[in-house]
Amino acid sequence: MRQITYRGIKTNNLKNLNINIIPNSLTCICGCSGSGKSSLAFDTIHAISKSEINSLVNDDYENFNYVVDFYDNILFSVALKQLNFNINPKSSILSYFHLSNELNLLVSSLSKQYTKNAISLSPKNICPRCLGNGFTKEIDINKIIDINIKLKDNPFIPWLNSYKDFYTQILNSYINDIGINANLKFHELSKTAQYDLLYKTSINKYKIIYKIGTKTRVKTDFYKGIMLCNAIDISEQYIKHVVCEKCKGTRLNQSINDIKIFNYSLQDILLSSFNDLSKIFKSFSIKNTNYTLKKLDAFVTECIKLGLGHLNFSRSIPTLSGGELQRLRIAKIFIANINNIMIVLDEPTSSLHPDEIQNLVKEIQKLKHNNTIVAVEHNKELISKSDYAFYIGLKSGKEGGNLISKKEYDLSQYFELKKVNFKVSDSQNIKLQNLSFLNFKGELVINHNRLIGISSKSGVGKTSLLRNILPMHLNSYQYISQKPIKANINSTIGTYSGIFDDIKKLFALTSCDKDYFCKNKNIICKNCNGNGKVLVLEKYKNKFYDICSYCNGSGFDKKFLKFKVFGMNINEIVNLNIEKLKYFNFSEKINKKILLLDELGLSHLCLNRSILNISGGEQQRLKLFKSLSDNNSKIFGLDEPTKGLGDKDILKIISLLYKSIKNENKTFIVAEHNPLFLSYCNDIIEMKRDSNVVKIIFNSSIEKIKNCKESEISKFILT
């Protein structure tokens, strides 16, 4: 058998690696975060295949950054990364995976009501209410109220704009009129008073003399509750998307939704979960052996095996996690019957309950019969079932990139952490309420000043609980999502963390002209505007850059680089990783931030590392850094903070959370699948889907979970 060969790999931090991959095998690439796993799997192995294919079929130049001495016998490669950059609301599972043609054929062959291209989102087919988006926009009450502000100071955040003076005065006039205490905070009001402020219009008009900037204006008007405003007139950051009442999320008009196939409407087919749709398709099969039906049924069946049974054909692609989208792509590969390719996977087991991982492993093993699988992975279950495993390490960043043994890697992951059981300072009962897309049942208890883990299988509602329900009940609460940080080409670890500005102030102390360091125009390279690279070619939608010859890629003006702190200029400092910066005595403020980044497992990153070039897990830990640096919040909802981490880094994060609970009385409510993380929690909240209802099956201290017969996670908890 001819091996796939790579020799002398020096991409990014990789240290002259020699790799052989056996066709029709499963090879796992393992190692700690930042060690070089993605550099090997995606930036080298996949990039080489893509480069060779592009040179044959594509006229456009694409710059690849791999460095390798020799390669041979490569295969056509498909990379399935855990990234979801799709922001098109009209993009659904049905359209994204080109399954609408199959469904059209199925409907045309089995329904007398069929009209041509019924499933397409053409102007004549779309829902007139949502215009084919599947949702409508509403003001999100959880985002518009600052619960720490008194009524007299105007707690409604969208009104804190240039018209703040007007809104504050008319609010106080209305409050005085209806007899509400202006010194109270919004959450201290009765439900009736809250409703009056949000949804009512005043009986009287008020003459308001107000200022905009330096100008004084006069306006006589009624008070109108903020929830009566048109959502279009409110900033997008205060808006939520609600499933369209008319089409229920199908995006299609009523005549299309009502098309019937064997007593099921097209709306039923589009909105039924894959778990339920599989049963519907099987009832169709009894009456018709249609090729397109078999193809759709095969996709649905594969999705169920991969832990995606909770999804439906109308599910919007932008709402999917990276893990869900990757597994959907795996399902599509199965039904496409593509063979003899290399499939490169990005932690396919992440975002899965331990019970669901076993099915995924079986499906991946089936894929390798006709294909070659390379997976970046931490999960021991998948690694143990692989044919070959490469370990990269020992450390991250510049100190990683070496091939090491499994024994060396296992030893490097040792981190001693004693479980801490914090006393409950206060408890809060929260009555669960149904969301437009999820039916919750019962109530839960949140114990403050504890580490609380939320466990369930995929799609049961962990994220919805953190994002939609808890903010309505918990004061000083902050949710940290898995969504990417909003960043541009100049966004770096240094700028996002604020450390870059702090270091600039140190440089300002080296000169009499302090203002010189405050203005970015003085310190950045004029030729590249601080990017470190210049645009050399723009063809179609692609842009190609080259290193700026004026600053040699640093992005800094040469005059600025003459100034030094600790014998180094600014460019030398931002190119050091966090691990090395720990040993510099900058200032108490900077040192505290650097230590926090280190404790979050980000010590391998440099301050000039672009936000756009770090993993989703690294981005989430950066957001956690930002939140922990802000002392305004006391309760945090974290969504899978261990994604992309090995055992040592997981334990380091737990250690940091313990420290925050002990020293700052914080509370962490964490949606997680990782049994190691859950085993160190004080309390566990476990949810389970029962038909269309989500119920709480366990809500207590972790010591009691072994006695819960319904629990699906207890057998994985380490005791």
Side-chain angles (χ1 to χ4, degrees):
M1 185 180 293
R2 300 180 70 188
Q3 297 182 354
I4 305 162
T5 305
Y6 306 89
R7 293 285 179 267
I9 304 171
K10 307 175 192 70
T11 308
N12 299 329
N13 69 332
L14 299 178
K15 308 294 195 301
N16 202 33
L17 307 188
N18 296 323
I19 298 290
N20 293 327
I21 293 175
I22 308 300
N24 301 114
S25 68
L26 167 59
T27 299
C28 283
I29 298 177
C30 319
C32 63
S33 178
S35 61
K37 302 185 299 297
S38 292
S39 293
L40 177 57
F42 294 99
D43 298 341
T44 304
I45 293 173
H46 170 65
I48 287 172
S49 294
K50 190 176 180 183
S51 174
E52 289 289 353
I53 296 298
N54 277 7
S55 68
L56 292 173
V57 301
N58 198 338
D59 290 337
D60 291 338
Y61 169 77
E62 185 171 354
N63 187 30
F64 293 97
N65 296 319
Y66 61 81
V67 181
V68 61
D69 293 340
F70 171 81
Y71 53 84
D72 195 21
N73 299 326
I74 62 169
L75 296 175
F76 178 87
S77 170
V78 175
L80 306 184
K81 294 199 77 172
Q82 283 218 29
L83 296 171
N84 185 0
F85 294 116
N86 190 309
I87 58 172
N88 180 5
K90 290 183 171 64
S91 181
S92 66
I93 290 176
L94 192 74
S95 64
Y96 186 86
F97 290 100
H98 306 287
L99 296 169
S100 48
N101 290 338
E102 275 83 0
L103 190 54
N104 255 317
L105 288 169
L106 181 67
V107 175
S108 66
S109 64
L110 301 182
S111 175
K112 296 176 182 178
Q113 300 167 271
Y114 175 73
T115 57
K116 190 176 180 181
N117 290 326
I119 323 290
S120 69
L121 291 180
S122 62
K124 68 174 184 177
N125 289 344
I126 61 172
C127 169
R129 180 176 174 82
C130 67
L131 302 179
N133 289 319
F135 63 82
T136 54
K137 292 182 178 182
E138 290 183 9
I139 298 170
D140 190 341
I141 195 170
N142 300 310
K143 296 177 181 176
I144 63 169
I145 302 170
D146 189 332
I147 59 176
N148 298 310
I149 300 294
K150 293 179 180 179
L151 297 180
K152 66 179 182 181
D153 298 319
N154 186 2
F156 300 118
I157 302 170
W159 286 352
L160 303 178
N161 52 27
S162 55
Y163 286 86
K164 177 184 176 182
D165 189 30
F166 169 78
Y167 285 121
T168 303
Q169 287 194 57
I170 201 168
L171 172 62
N172 277 283
S173 299
Y174 179 60
I175 287 170
N176 185 56
D177 231 6
I178 63 176
I180 293 177
N181 185 348
N183 287 308
L184 293 177
K185 296 175 182 177
F186 186 84
H187 69 276
E188 295 172 332
L189 300 176
S190 66
K191 296 294 181 185
T192 302
Q194 289 180 356
Y195 183 86
D196 289 345
L197 289 179
L198 293 171
Y199 294 98
K200 283 198 172 180
T201 301
S202 63
I203 297 171
N204 302 316
K205 275 189 172 183
Y206 307 105
K207 182 179 179 181
I208 307 296
I209 302 171
Y210 63 100
K211 284 189 174 183
I212 295 182
T214 58
K215 294 181 179 180
T216 300
R217 296 185 181 180
V218 180
K219 185 178 181 181
T220 302
D221 205 350
F222 295 98
Y223 170 84
K224 293 178 183 177
I226 192 168
M227 294 300 286
L228 298 178
C229 294
N230 192 324
I232 296 172
D233 300 326
I234 300 286
S235 173
E236 190 71 27
Q237 67 190 102
Y238 307 118
I239 296 301
K240 66 179 177 180
H241 294 168
V242 178
V243 175
C244 177
E245 290 181 4
K246 197 166 186 69
C247 70
K248 308 301 181 188
T250 66
R251 301 169 175 79
L252 302 168
N253 64 40
Q254 199 62 49
S255 63
I256 304 291
N257 278 333
D258 287 343
I259 293 174
K260 286 281 178 72
I261 310 173
F262 299 136
N263 298 321
Y264 289 97
S265 69
L266 184 57
Q267 186 176 73
D268 293 332
I269 293 170
L270 291 172
L271 297 182
S272 292
S273 70
F274 289 152
N275 286 325
D276 294 333
L277 190 58
S278 178
K279 299 168 189 173
I280 293 174
F281 280 165
K282 281 175 175 54
S283 73
F284 288 0
S285 297
I286 297 170
K287 303 168 186 177
N288 192 285
T289 54
N290 187 298
Y291 172 73
T292 55
L293 173 59
K294 288 180 179 178
K295 194 167 184 180
L296 288 170
D297 188 34
F299 178 79
V300 168
T301 302
E302 198 58 45
C303 286
I304 293 170
K305 290 177 183 176
L306 295 172
L308 300 169
H310 59 284
L311 301 179
N312 60 43
F313 278 136
S314 287
R315 179 68 178 265
S316 175
I317 294 295
T319 68
L320 296 171
S321 71
E324 286 173 325
L325 186 56
Q326 182 179 220
R327 278 177 275 139
L328 282 167
R329 287 170 174 155
I330 293 173
K332 188 64 166 65
I333 286 175
F334 267 105
I335 69 165
N337 294 319
I338 298 173
N339 293 326
N340 298 317
I341 64 171
M342 177 182 285
I343 303 168
V344 186
L345 302 175
D346 183 12
E347 297 202 51
T349 63
S350 72
S351 301
L352 280 180
H353 189 277
D355 267 342
E356 297 171 308
I357 287 174
Q358 294 173 3
N359 276 341
L360 175 67
V361 172
K362 289 176 184 175
E363 295 308 297
I364 289 177
Q365 287 183 311
K366 286 181 190 175
L367 266 184
K368 76 174 185 181
H369 291 157
N370 297 312
N371 301 286
T372 303
I373 315 297
V374 175
V376 172
E377 192 52 83
H378 284 104
N379 183 268
K380 295 179 177 67
E381 176 77 12
L382 182 59
I383 295 170
S384 68
K385 296 293 193 302
S386 66
D387 301 297
Y388 307 96
F390 296 114
Y391 289 85
I392 313 293
L394 278 166
K395 296 184 179 181
S396 306
K398 295 175 183 177
E399 297 180 48
N402 293 292
L403 275 178
I404 60 173
S405 68
K406 180 181 183 302
K407 185 177 180 181
E408 286 177 302
Y409 173 72
D410 290 342
L411 287 172
S412 74
Q413 290 301 290
Y414 177 76
F415 186 87
E416 188 173 354
L417 179 64
K418 186 178 180 181
K419 183 175 177 180
V420 181
N421 190 15
F422 297 97
K423 290 182 180 179
V424 178
S425 65
D426 185 27
S427 293
Q428 194 168 342
N429 282 50
I430 296 174
K431 186 172 177 59
L432 297 175
Q433 64 185 77
N434 292 340
L435 304 174
S436 58
F437 52 89
L438 206 57
N439 297 323
F440 280 105
K441 182 180 179 181
E443 63 178 45
L444 58 85
V445 178
I446 297 292
N447 293 322
H448 292 268
N449 302 116
R450 306 263 282 178
L451 178 57
I452 304 165
I454 304 179
S455 174
S456 76
K457 289 189 174 177
S458 304
V460 172
K462 297 183 296 298
T463 296
S464 298
L465 183 65
L466 291 176
R467 184 182 59 206
N468 300 105
I469 293 180
L470 294 186
M472 300 168 63
H473 300 273
L474 299 173
N475 296 333
S476 190
Y477 175 81
Q478 187 176 152
Y479 168 59
I480 303 171
S481 73
Q482 292 186 38
K483 289 189 175 180
I485 295 170
K486 291 180 180 178
N488 58 44
I489 194 171
N490 289 328
S491 301
T492 64
I493 305 295
T495 58
Y496 181 81
S497 65
I499 294 176
F500 182 69
D501 285 335
D502 297 332
I503 289 176
K504 277 199 302 182
K505 291 174 184 176
L506 289 183
F507 276 89
L509 299 175
T510 66
S511 170
C512 298
D513 185 4
K514 305 293 187 290
D515 290 338
Y516 175 83
F517 296 87
C518 297
K519 297 174 183 175
N520 275 342
K521 67 177 183 179
N522 291 333
I523 68 175
I524 63 173
C525 172
K526 310 298 183 296
N527 186 55
C528 64
N529 201 31
N531 294 329
K533 51 189 178 182
V534 290
L535 185 67
V536 292
L537 175 66
E538 188 168 2
K539 193 171 183 181
Y540 306 114
K541 292 183 179 180
N542 296 319
K543 293 181 179 180
F544 304 98
Y545 296 88
D546 202 358
I547 292 174
C548 174
S549 58
Y550 284 75
C551 65
N552 292 322
S554 73
F556 295 109
D557 187 271
K558 290 180 180 178
K559 292 179 183 177
F560 182 51
L561 293 179
K562 293 178 181 178
F563 295 95
K564 296 193 175 184
V565 170
F566 299 117
M568 295 183 294
N569 62 38
I570 189 76
N571 187 48
E572 290 168 330
I573 289 176
V574 298
N575 273 291
L576 291 176
N577 61 29
I578 301 299
E579 175 67 29
K580 290 183 178 176
L581 290 175
K582 281 193 308 183
Y583 301 103
F584 288 86
N585 188 23
F586 289 110
S587 68
E588 185 178 349
K589 184 180 180 181
I590 296 174
N591 291 343
K592 188 176 180 181
K593 287 182 178 180
I594 288 172
L595 180 61
L596 182 53
L597 288 171
D598 177 60
E599 290 176 317
L600 285 166
L602 299 172
S603 59
H604 58 286
L605 298 178
C606 301
L607 292 180
N608 73 335
R609 178 74 173 268
S610 171
I611 297 290
L612 300 174
N613 292 334
I614 62 175
S615 70
E618 287 168 334
Q619 286 204 13
Q620 201 197 18
R621 278 174 276 147
L622 263 184
K623 287 191 286 184
L624 179 55
F625 161 86
K626 197 97 164 181
S627 300
L628 292 177
S629 301
D630 167 25
N631 291 319
N632 294 328
S633 302
K634 285 292 183 183
I635 307 173
F636 298 88
L638 310 182
D639 206 349
E640 295 195 67
T642 70
K643 184 179 279 189
L645 295 182
D647 290 355
K648 183 177 181 179
D649 285 328
I650 291 172
L651 292 172
K652 284 179 73 174
I653 284 190
I654 296 169
S655 176
L656 174 63
L657 300 184
Y658 277 176
K659 190 165 79 173
S660 296
I661 296 169
K662 180 182 177 182
N663 298 338
E664 301 169 49
N665 297 319
K666 298 199 187 274
T667 303
F668 295 96
I669 307 165
V670 187
E672 259 301 343
H673 290 289
N674 189 287
L676 176 62
F677 185 95
L678 291 171
S679 299
Y680 277 84
C681 290
N682 303 127
D683 300 323
I684 296 288
I685 297 169
E686 187 170 1
M687 303 189 298
K688 193 173 184 178
R689 187 183 293 276
D690 184 2
S691 186
N692 291 324
V693 175
V694 173
K695 63 179 184 178
I696 306 291
I697 62 170
F698 185 81
N699 182 186
S700 187
S701 62
I702 192 170
E703 292 78 17
K704 299 176 183 177
I705 197 167
K706 295 290 183 183
N707 299 324
C708 178
K709 293 180 181 178
E710 280 192 88
S711 175
E712 296 173 312
I713 195 65
S714 62
K715 61 186 175 185
F716 299 101
I717 296 291
L718 307 175
T719 54

